[in-house]
Amino acid sequence: MERGRELAEISGTLASCGPIPRARSPRDSWQAGPVPAIDLVEETFVAAHPALVRARVATPEFLRELWPDLRLRVSEDRGREGLRFVVAGALTGTAEVWLEEWADGVIVHLYLRADPAGWGWAARRALREQHHSRATARLVLWQVKDELEAGRRPGQPARR
């Protein structure tokens, strides 16, 4: 009988706190909404002056190399810290190129959070697209790194 009274008191306390939040699935465990099909995060360090890096990654050519099947519209120009975009085309969502000054260079962070336009993808296709996007992003970032660090020997200061 005592146990029943304790449970009733706990239930009354919980009821006074409002509704109990629903349990979230692992797919949306840390976000307010579901995780997009493509949730890409990639970064690399470029030993070059921030202005040189900014000038290179802000070009339409860089963005076409990075995501050729997407249309990007700048939603926020963050100056020395990079650009944010609204994504359309094969995917819809958001993208960002964040430039973080560090040591004698810049860490270039790329983010792409998007879902397929129209019908959704099967899990295997989403995984395949994620891997393809990551591989492309790495190649393009490494090309920029090679271009801006050309002639620099390891341990030498960044090009200014």
Side-chain angles (χ1 to χ4, degrees):
M1 187 68 168
E2 188 63 33
R3 178 84 173 138
R5 186 173 297 133
E6 287 174 13
L7 289 175
E9 287 176 15
I10 291 171
S11 297
T13 303
L14 288 177
S16 67
C17 293
I20 298 172
R22 71 171 177 84
R24 293 183 168 186
S25 72
R27 181 172 160 88
D28 66 357
S29 60
W30 62 274
Q31 293 186 351
V35 176
I38 301 293
D39 191 12
L40 173 71
V41 178
E42 194 57 51
E43 58 191 21
T44 198
F45 176 75
V46 179
H49 190 275
L52 293 173
V53 178
R54 162 65 190 212
R56 178 62 176 91
V57 302
T59 63
E61 294 79 24
F62 172 77
L63 299 172
R64 274 195 300 275
E65 291 170 26
L66 197 55
W67 297 304
D69 55 343
L70 302 179
R71 293 186 313 277
L72 302 172
R73 180 180 52 81
V74 175
S75 62
E76 184 180 355
D77 185 336
R78 301 177 62 222
R80 293 172 56 145
E81 293 184 346
L83 299 161
R84 289 186 178 144
F85 306 93
V86 173
V87 176
L91 299 172
T92 58
T94 61
E96 181 176 358
V97 178
W98 171 36
L99 304 174
E100 178 184 13
E101 292 185 32
W102 190 79
D104 65 342
V106 178
I107 300 172
V108 180
H109 304 267
L110 296 178
Y111 301 95
L112 176 63
R113 297 171 197 95
D115 286 308
W119 295 95
W121 290 334
R124 292 180 102 178
R125 168 119 190 248
L127 188 60
R128 197 168 49 245
E129 293 291 336
Q130 175 97 0
H131 286 292
H132 175 73
S133 296
R134 177 170 285 115
T136 301
R138 285 180 180 165
L139 287 174
V140 171
L141 283 176
W142 292 341
Q143 287 170 354
V144 169
K145 181 178 177 66
D146 290 345
E147 176 186 320
L148 295 178
E149 292 181 1
R152 178 184 167 272
R153 299 185 57 80
Q156 288 182 329
R159 199 169 108 199
R160 295 282 165 182

